[in-house]
Amino acid sequence: MLSQIKWAELFPNKSSIVIFAAYVGFFTNQGILVRWTQSADNSYPYNTVTAVLLTDFIKLIITSALFCRDHPVKALLTEVIRNSRVCSLYLIPAFLYSLYNNIAFLSLSAFDPTTYYLLLQLRVALTGVVYQVIFKKRLSGTQWMSLLLLTVGCMIKEMDFSNLSNLFGGLEGKKWSFLLLLFQMSCSCLAGVYNEYLLKKESPSANIFIQNVFMYLNSIVCNMVMVMLHEPLSQTFSSESLSAVLVPSVIILMLNNAGGGITTSFFLRNLNSIMKTFTGAIELTCSAILCYILFGIPIYLNTVISIVTVSYATILYSSNPVSKEEDNVKEKYDVEMLHPLMDRESKVTVV
């Protein structure tokens, strides 16, 4: 089976391997770091809305700095104004990601990191459907089989082997938390596939850091609106809120989240949303091991079976992955990733 893995189709260039590894690293760390910042009762001793909003500012600052490393500061403002229509297209994924990031804190309060990541993989089936609709590309039988196996592997984690009459005993008493997680998954897959569409179809020649600036400007606006819906901004940025957030553990969490967000754009541009869902197999294994070491969360038999199942699903998908759309587009992406700061016309394509 391993000999049948199509490495060249999975990773079209060396940059994609680095991006894949970075993506897995950032998002494995995310669940661990969120757990680290929780109190003993799984609550948060800081304002999570403030943390999410500050994270978006960090992403915007980092992305703008990377663009300005090879371009004048004036060019950044010029591109944003000139391509306001492109910027407005990012409002949809920004809003969905904003919901996803804010709900993630609630989900991780209800589930341990390993369970959280396993349940989160239920989004893969929905991602497959959305991917087919948006990109008008039918998935093969093998690809759908791997997606279904991945879903089954996630469900196995919640089986109570000591009571087979209640296979989902792990979800008992968490009905609303599970429904909230389902909504979070929907936001994630819709935002991911639509973001990939914007990167590849609407403005494929745009400098990727400019596109990230568009995303984070919209994210900040969306998060500001969400904040004002339930508390005044003065409370969000009060000295008390800021002092609770600006501690080493939360700062590390925000920096890790910022790194993961920026890496996601490179992942979607050079790889695809379907492969993005399969990174969960690696995240799952790493999360289970790290949670056992750091927090003493036990690894039960169903966790082991689940890890084996999703790992097999990943290998099965790797033998027949979703390929790049067209060869000429692939070549353009390869050049972009080898020289990520290159802007062939020093302008964002107007759509």
Side-chain angles (χ1 to χ4, degrees), residues 71 79 82-83 205-207 343-350:
H71 303 82
E79 295 300 337
R82 178 182 297 161
N83 298 278
S205 63
N207 183 289
D343 192 348
R344 282 161 288 286
E345 297 179 353
S346 296
K347 295 180 181 178
V348 176
T349 301
V350 178

Side-chain angles (χ1 to χ4, degrees), residues 129-247:
V129 174
V130 175
Y131 187 89
Q132 287 191 146
V133 172
I134 291 182
F135 285 96
K136 298 180 175 60
K137 183 181 181 66
R138 290 183 63 84
L139 300 180
S140 68
T142 301
Q143 290 164 351
W144 271 116
M145 179 61 70
S146 62
L147 288 173
L148 292 176
L149 278 174
L150 187 58
T151 303
V152 170
C154 298
M155 295 172 67
I156 290 175
K157 171 60 172 64
E158 291 307 305
M159 290 183 180
D160 183 0
F161 283 1
S162 64
N163 183 10
L164 294 180
S165 63
N166 184 13
L167 293 180
F168 296 95
L171 291 176
E172 185 177 357
K174 297 182 179 179
K175 173 184 176 181
W176 295 112
S177 296
F178 181 69
L179 290 176
L180 184 64
L181 184 58
L182 285 177
F183 178 70
Q184 180 189 349
M185 285 185 268
S186 299
C187 292
S188 174
C189 74
L190 287 172
V193 176
Y194 188 73
N195 192 20
E196 181 184 350
Y197 175 81
L198 292 178
L199 288 165
K200 291 181 176 178
K201 298 293 186 180
E202 288 292 340
S203 50
S205 63
N207 183 289
I208 195 168
F209 293 120
I210 283 291
Q211 291 192 333
N212 280 337
V213 167
F214 293 161
M215 171 65 78
Y216 303 138
L217 282 174
N218 281 290
S219 293
I220 290 172
V221 171
C222 290
N223 280 318
M224 285 286 194
V225 171
M226 288 191 173
V227 168
M228 291 186 291
L229 288 176
H230 71 273
E231 68 180 33
L233 284 177
S234 58
Q235 180 178 336
T236 303
F237 293 105
S238 66
S239 57
E240 182 180 355
S241 294
L242 290 176
S243 61
V245 168
L246 298 179
V247 297

Side-chain angles (χ1 to χ4, degrees), residues 65-80:
L66 290 172
F67 176 80
C68 292
R69 192 173 73 174
D70 278 16
H71 303 82
V73 176
K74 183 180 179 180
L76 178 63
L77 181 60
T78 300
E79 295 300 337
V80 172

